[in-house]
Amino acid sequence: MHIAVLGTSAVGRAVASRTAELGHTVLMGTRDPSATAARDEFAAWHRDNEAVQLATFAQAASGADLVINATGGDASLAALRAAGELAGQVILDISNPLDHAAGFPPTLFVANTDSLGEQIQLAFPAAHVVKALNTMNNAIMVRPRELADGDHTVFVCGNSAEAKALVTGLLQEFGHRDVFDLGDITAARGTEMYIALWLRIAIARGKSDFNIKVVR
Ligand SMILES: NC(=O)c1ccc[n+]([C@@H]2O[C@H](COP(=O)([O-])OP(=O)(O)OC[C@H]3O[C@@H](n4cnc5c(N)ncnc54)[C@H](OP(=O)(O)O)[C@@H]3O)[C@@H](O)[C@H]2O)c1
């Protein structure tokens, strides 16, 4: 597939590395490619990931089979708008609506009766938004078999069965064994609000090397 990864921080880099390793063509979107290329941390990563091309959000998303949103939740709508109309395109949305204004742990700037996944779907009605992977750290997202041989759950939700099938295929390529379809995009409320518990588990453990499993 031609994959656009919007976002150049930990999640964007993890997803870009892994999808490129799996043989996909990856363009990574950022606001200012030359400024991002000059960042020490990004440059160090890019030396080991030369197959991943850096581009503007719009260049990356143009013609992509899959657009992955790995930008900060408070910046996601702006980043996606910069990417274009995204009509007919599948958006895998990994973002969380974190509000850091009151310090740590962050709260959510949308919850209960709405979600960031829904806001993205509403803003891009001709795109097919699939929320997934936002419930675990970026290392487990892309290499789930390194934790309990993949015996844990990743959720997908979205309004298009075809888009969910495409994303599910990629999650399985990553190594996910239990892809749990929660239904339409309103289920993003649940996976985003789970972050309140995820944060407390991470604080209690002192690390984020865990995931949950729906035992059934
Ligand atoms: N870190 C994790 O393991 C983890 C786990 C689950 C979910 N998530 C979620 O995944 C997303 C990415 O997390 P992250 O830690 O990798 O990165 P992040 O620091 O939350 O976001 C970085 C990206 O946001 C973009 N950005 C920031 N302000 C912007 C603006 N005003 N307009 C457009 N783009 C803007 C940056 O673009 P530039 O490249 O131009 O600087 C950068 O690529 C977040 O929503 C996070 O909540 C993270």
Side-chain angles (χ1 to χ4, degrees):
M1 285 195 285
H2 283 255
I3 296 180
V5 177
L6 309 186
T8 57
S9 288
V11 175
R13 293 197 294 261
V15 171
S17 291
R18 185 74 167 124
T19 47
E21 175 189 303
L22 289 165
H24 299 286
T25 302
V26 185
L27 276 176
M28 195 177 216
T30 187
R31 283 170 288 188
D32 180 342
S34 45
T36 300
R39 291 178 188 157
D40 288 345
E41 203 184 340
F42 183 87
W45 171 83
H46 203 216
R47 275 193 285 280
D48 296 330
N49 291 274
E50 284 177 344
V52 176
Q53 304 266 322
L54 197 56
T56 64
F57 288 129
Q59 288 165 341
S62 175
D65 303 302
L66 177 65
V67 176
I68 300 180
N69 176 35
T71 60
D74 56 352
S76 288
L77 284 169
L80 287 161
R81 284 198 184 100
E85 287 188 15
L86 308 177
Q89 289 179 287
V90 178
I91 302 173
L92 164 54
D93 175 33
I94 308 181
S95 67
N96 278 312
L98 300 184
D99 180 349
H100 298 276
F104 188 82
T107 56
L108 303 180
F109 63 74
V110 56
N112 296 321
T113 55
D114 197 4
S115 64
L116 185 53
E118 286 166 89
Q119 292 185 350
I120 293 170
Q121 182 62 81
L122 193 64
F124 296 88
H128 308 291
V129 179
V130 179
K131 188 102 202 179
L133 292 174
N134 62 309
T135 54
M136 63 197 76
N137 82 13
N138 60 82
I140 298 171
M141 283 178 199
V142 298
R143 297 192 188 280
R145 296 289 171 101
E146 291 186 8
L147 174 66
D149 195 28
D151 187 21
H152 45 87
T153 304
V154 60
F155 301 104
V156 293
C157 64
N159 300 341
S160 161
E162 277 180 28
K164 282 191 284 193
L166 183 133
V167 168
T168 297
L170 183 66
L171 299 179
Q172 289 168 339
E173 282 183 56
F174 286 171
H176 286 281
R177 292 167 49 189
D178 183 25
V179 183
F180 192 121
D181 186 346
L182 291 168
D184 70 24
I185 193 64
T186 62
R189 298 172 196 180
T191 66
E192 292 176 9
M193 287 192 287
Y194 161 71
I195 297 313
L197 176 59
W198 184 93
L199 281 161
R200 293 296 173 164
I201 298 170
I203 292 166
R205 278 183 63 72
K207 45 192 178 175
S208 62
D209 62 341
F210 63 91
N211 193 14
I212 53 168
K213 174 181 175 179
V214 178
V215 181
R216 60 208 190 268

